[in-house]
Amino acid sequence: MITRAPFAKMNGLGNEIIVADMRGRADRITPQAAIALDRDPATKFDQIMAIHSPHSDGTDAYVEIINSDGTHAQTCGNGMRCVVQALSAQTGKREFSLETIAGILTASEHPDGQISVDMGRPHFEWQEIPLSEPFHDTRKIELQIGPIDAPVLHSPSVVSMGNPHAIFWVDQDVWNYDLERFGPMLENHPMFPERANISIAHVTSRNAITLRTWERGAGITRACGSAACAAGVSAARTDRTDRAVTVTVPGGPLVIEWLENDHVLMTGPAEWEFSGSLDPQNGNWARSEDAQGAA
């Protein structure tokens, strides 16, 4: 008999997250359950962060990341901050080592409630991102949207933060571009065999970037932590900014630091909305407070 799993509906700067506690269980949240949860306005999400028992010694948990279309993601910075806040509230710990399919991340909650996640090292080689054809210099690749002689978007920087990212640099307000139209075309462009997160970035100073992101498998999002890291690293790599920047996404600011050890540190908030329980098989759920919901 399938028993329900406890979950918290949370957000990281408006990036809608479900943190589900699957520890001690052999089952997993099915794609059908994820799609059902996303269809309900109360539980609509960008990512599910399913916390499983540790797979490796020395780690606190294994985190499976599920997109709103039922596919899997390698990493999610905003979701990781929500996981840390949830685990910290439950255990009283402040330091965590969390494993994903992209590797092991370390994270900590600060006394002011801000949470830092070490997102690991960026990867710049074309086959690591991956791209479908070789590019010697991934700071700027040949890819554009619009007329050949007057493209709307062109020459993105590409990088992997455990998941593939393309950053298009613009000189205008990021809201002037129809990302809702361009995003799905670029996400599924043949250049990206594993699809890609697509961002529009406007550098406003040596330490500030504004960013909008079409998230692979989720669509338009108010915040994408790995995209903020990708933009910060790519901006420094192309000498648009210094190595420490504030990346302002629609949901608010994230502090991104590309450290001397080549790791990328992301710092920002997480927010709890409500708790409940869910059926990992079909997505039926109920609130903890009043046992109401889509059950």
Side-chain angles (χ1 to χ4, degrees):
M1 178 180 176
I2 299 286
T3 58
R4 291 181 181 240
F7 77 90
K9 178 66 170 57
M10 304 181 70
N11 77 79
L13 290 179
N15 193 191
E16 297 296 341
I17 303 294
I18 289 175
V19 177
D21 190 351
M22 301 291 289
R23 288 173 294 179
R25 304 171 63 110
D27 58 338
R28 299 167 66 180
I29 296 173
T30 66
Q32 295 78 10
I35 291 168
L37 286 162
D38 184 60
R39 285 176 178 162
D40 189 317
T43 52
K44 187 173 180 61
F45 66 90
D46 295 302
Q47 275 79 35
I48 293 174
M49 310 296 288
I51 305 174
H52 292 268
S53 299
H55 288 187
S56 302
D57 292 342
T59 61
D60 294 286
Y62 183 88
V63 183
E64 182 183 26
I65 306 170
I66 307 166
N67 294 318
S68 55
D69 65 356
T71 61
H72 285 80
Q74 290 100 326
T75 189
C76 174
N78 290 315
M80 281 298 177
R81 294 201 313 279
C82 292
V83 168
V84 169
Q85 187 186 83
L87 290 176
S88 180
Q90 183 184 78
T91 66
K93 289 181 60 175
R94 289 291 181 88
E95 305 283 338
F96 296 92
S97 178
L98 303 167
E99 186 176 6
T100 72
I101 57 174
I104 295 173
L105 305 176
T106 58
S108 59
E109 185 177 45
H110 303 291
D112 64 358
Q114 293 283 299
I115 298 160
S116 293
V117 179
D118 183 337
M119 297 289 287
R121 293 181 173 89
H123 298 281
F124 304 118
E125 297 296 322
W126 70 271
Q127 68 271 26
E128 295 176 319
I129 293 170
L131 304 178
S132 59
E133 60 182 84
F135 279 92
H136 173 68
D137 187 354
T138 52
R139 291 175 296 182
K140 179 181 179 181
I141 69 165
E142 297 172 17
L143 180 64
Q144 66 180 44
I145 287 288
I148 292 176
D149 56 346
V152 179
L153 298 171
H154 65 91
S155 308
S157 300
V158 288
V159 59
S160 171
M161 286 302 310
N163 51 2
H165 289 270
I167 311 296
F168 288 87
W169 307 104
V170 298
D171 296 325
Q172 304 177 38
D173 190 324
V174 294
W175 293 94
N176 290 346
Y177 297 84
D178 191 359
L179 186 57
E180 290 85 351
R181 184 161 65 92
F182 299 139
M185 291 191 293
L186 290 164
E187 174 193 353
N188 295 286
H189 193 281
M191 182 64 74
F192 306 114
E194 295 180 9
R195 300 183 295 156
N197 297 277
I198 306 299
S199 294
I200 299 174
H202 180 206
V203 175
T204 56
S205 77
R206 290 292 301 180
N207 56 15
I209 301 170
T210 56
L211 189 75
R212 288 185 72 210
T213 298
W214 175 275
E215 195 164 3
R216 181 184 63 165
I220 289 288
T221 181
R222 287 180 56 77
C224 177
S226 63
C229 294
V233 166
S234 296
R237 192 170 178 237
T238 56
D239 198 31
R240 288 177 164 91
T241 67
D242 299 331
R243 292 174 70 100
V245 293
T246 297
V247 179
T248 300
V249 299
L254 289 167
V255 176
I256 307 299
E257 299 170 85
W258 189 10
L259 305 175
E260 291 303 319
N261 66 2
D262 200 31
H263 284 232
V264 183
L265 191 68
M266 175 196 61
T267 302
E271 181 181 14
W272 176 89
E273 296 177 12
F274 66 85
S275 298
S277 60
L278 60 83
D279 186 324
Q281 207 65 34
N282 58 28
N284 288 344
W285 66 279
R287 286 180 185 261
S288 295
E289 297 89 345
D290 54 15
Q292 298 297 309

